[in-house]
Amino acid sequence: MALTHLPTVLVTGASSGIGAVYADRFARRGHNLVLVARDKARMETLATRLRAATGVSIDILAADLTDIAELGTVEKRLREDDNIGILINNAGAAAPGSVKNPYLEAFARLIRLNVTAVSRLAGVAGTRFASRGEGAIINISSIVALIPELMLGIYGATKSYVLTLSQSLQSELGPNGVYVQAVLPPATRTEIWERSGRSVDDLGVAMNVDELGDAALVGFDRREPITIPSLPDEKQWETFNGARKAMLPNLPQKHAAERYRLQ
Ligand code: NAP
């Protein structure tokens, strides 16, 4: 077991894709890990490779995060394990179906995974991190949080939720020394596409998952609140976010705006 003063990192959705890249990169930086996903065998294979390559200590917590009891075991670990100082809220999925032609149970599962689990894990970790005045939460959103028109169904809405949740957490936990990063990946070459009945090759353009993970970590090291790895000109985000903030003093009003008043 590696002796390390670095915080342990709990990664959800660590069995493949972006989560597996985060696990790899944090292990190489010397952090012990707790890997969370449903596929225990896949996580064992990843952990064996990373233990051999880096010497860090890796625990595996197999859990279906849409199941409230199994989610509870992850919350318990986050609540009780003082060594955990970084949460990567990465597990997520897309769902087939559109709002016009919905698979209602698939929508409900998606909300349990992309919204409920992300919120509960951030809440549990954020509370403990704030009480000790340090810690970090990385929430994996998506570029479709900004342009939900790109995807049918409720996936974009769940990813907008992750973005605005991150902004709320930044304002609430930031003063207590907790860093919260929202990462907005573009379409990235992972299994998420095939799992939801699409082919990544139909998209025209998709980022390599290693490149995405490395870029997101540059943003993490810079302590960026929002990281959009594919956006060439960061001023575009700043302008967009600035326009939102400029509305702030005008939004709370005692009376309806002139255009809504009955004549
Ligand atoms: P992925 O390769 O399919 O990985 C998803 C991970 O989540 C897997 O480890 C999966 O593991 C886990 N997971 C899925 N359902 C779960 C459940 N019910 N309980 C626990 N774990 C579950 O896809 P990915 O692209 O890396 O996705 C990671 C995150 O990036 C997601 O939040 C996704 O929305 C976001 N994202 C992806 C893209 C993209 O184009 N790839 C773009 C923007 C944002 P098990 O199957 O073993 O449970």
Side-chain angles (χ1 to χ4, degrees):
M1 179 188 296
L3 289 176
T4 173
H5 64 283
L6 295 169
T8 296
V9 181
L10 185 143
V11 191
T12 71
S15 64
S16 68
I18 296 169
V21 171
Y22 270 114
D24 178 275
R25 301 306 190 265
F26 274 104
R28 288 178 197 284
R29 290 174 175 211
H31 294 260
N32 294 330
L33 303 176
V34 180
L35 307 181
V36 178
R38 291 166 302 180
D39 191 330
K40 193 171 181 186
R42 256 182 125 173
M43 290 189 286
E44 291 286 6
T45 304
L46 176 65
T48 303
R49 176 171 70 75
L50 293 180
R51 285 185 198 110
T54 67
V56 300
S57 157
I58 303 178
D59 284 355
I60 287 166
L61 204 49
D64 181 342
L65 298 176
T66 65
D67 180 292
I68 195 72
E70 295 187 26
L71 175 61
T73 63
V74 184
E75 292 172 12
K76 187 170 186 297
R77 182 69 186 257
L78 275 174
R79 198 176 288 117
E80 295 177 358
D81 185 344
D82 260 341
N83 295 315
I84 297 173
I86 300 176
L87 163 66
I88 307 181
N89 242 334
N90 163 76
S98 66
V99 179
K100 265 196 310 199
N101 183 19
Y103 298 104
L104 292 179
E105 187 42 39
F107 278 12
R109 273 183 65 78
L110 198 68
I111 291 169
R112 289 203 291 276
L113 182 63
N114 290 10
V115 173
T116 308
V118 169
S119 312
R120 291 182 64 120
L121 296 178
V124 172
T127 302
R128 189 168 58 71
F129 294 170
S131 73
R132 69 176 197 192
E134 62 180 357
I137 300 174
I138 301 173
N139 291 326
I140 307 300
S141 172
S142 166
I143 58 160
V144 298
L146 303 177
I147 31 170
E149 297 90 344
L150 274 186
M151 296 267 290
L152 294 175
I154 63 166
Y155 178 76
T158 69
K159 290 295 160 179
S160 294
Y161 177 88
V162 174
L163 173 59
T164 53
L165 172 72
S166 303
Q167 290 167 320
S168 297
L169 292 171
Q170 284 158 2
S171 128
E172 195 178 337
L173 301 176
N176 298 107
V178 182
Y179 165 54
V180 179
Q181 180 195 28
V183 177
L184 278 60
T188 304
R189 222 161 255 286
T190 70
E191 293 169 19
I192 197 168
W193 298 97
E194 279 71 24
R195 287 181 198 246
S196 59
R198 302 179 66 180
S199 167
V200 71
D201 292 320
D202 295 341
L203 298 172
V205 84
M207 194 174 280
N208 169 281
V209 70
D210 289 289
E211 183 169 344
L212 181 274
D214 288 329
L217 277 166
V218 171
F220 177 82
D221 291 338
R222 289 183 186 152
R223 293 296 185 258
E224 286 182 355
I226 311 287
T227 297
I228 312 176
S230 57
L231 188 68
D233 181 0
E234 64 188 329
K235 288 201 178 57
Q236 282 196 301
W237 162 256
E238 285 160 13
T239 303
F240 174 83
N241 202 32
R244 183 179 70 83
K245 287 184 177 166
M247 277 192 294
L248 206 150
N250 303 326
L251 291 171
Q253 301 284 352
K254 194 169 178 186
H255 297 293
E258 184 70 35
R259 69 188 178 285
Y260 297 118
R261 291 197 204 147
L262 297 174
Q263 299 308 313

